[in-house]
Amino acid sequence: MQSKLNSFIESLANILIGYITALMSQLAIFPLLDINIPLSDNLLIGLYFTLISLIRSYVIRRYFNKRGK
């Protein structure tokens, strides 16, 4: 059983890693596709992707928690 603090730390790490992964992917892939945007826009796009991923992950987790009971 995981403590609430450990669950929070795991979630925070997951979000941070997801954000960094999205940002690094954009910085590598966008220029290959001739998409040139400022870093500030890349940061914002990464944030949007991270928020979408957070919501998706939460909904899936709640679904399986409810289903498992």
Side-chain angles (χ1 to χ4, degrees):
M1 189 78 152
Q2 191 176 50
S3 72
K4 289 181 181 180
L5 178 60
N6 284 341
S7 292
F8 175 76
I9 292 169
E10 178 188 341
S11 296
L12 192 59
N14 190 16
I15 290 168
L16 182 60
I17 291 167
Y19 179 75
I20 292 169
T21 302
L23 182 60
M24 294 296 112
S25 298
Q26 290 162 213
L27 293 174
I29 295 169
F30 282 6
L32 296 174
L33 300 173
D34 202 25
I35 301 171
N36 300 303
I37 60 175
L39 180 60
S40 60
D41 288 346
N42 271 304
L43 294 170
L44 190 57
I45 291 168
L47 180 63
Y48 287 140
F49 287 153
T50 300
L51 291 173
I52 291 166
S53 179
L54 174 65
I55 293 166
R56 174 192 48 81
S57 179
Y58 176 79
V59 168
I60 291 170
R61 183 176 296 233
R62 296 311 310 155
Y63 169 78
F64 279 98
N65 278 339
K66 187 173 185 175
R67 185 175 156 215
K69 290 185 177 185

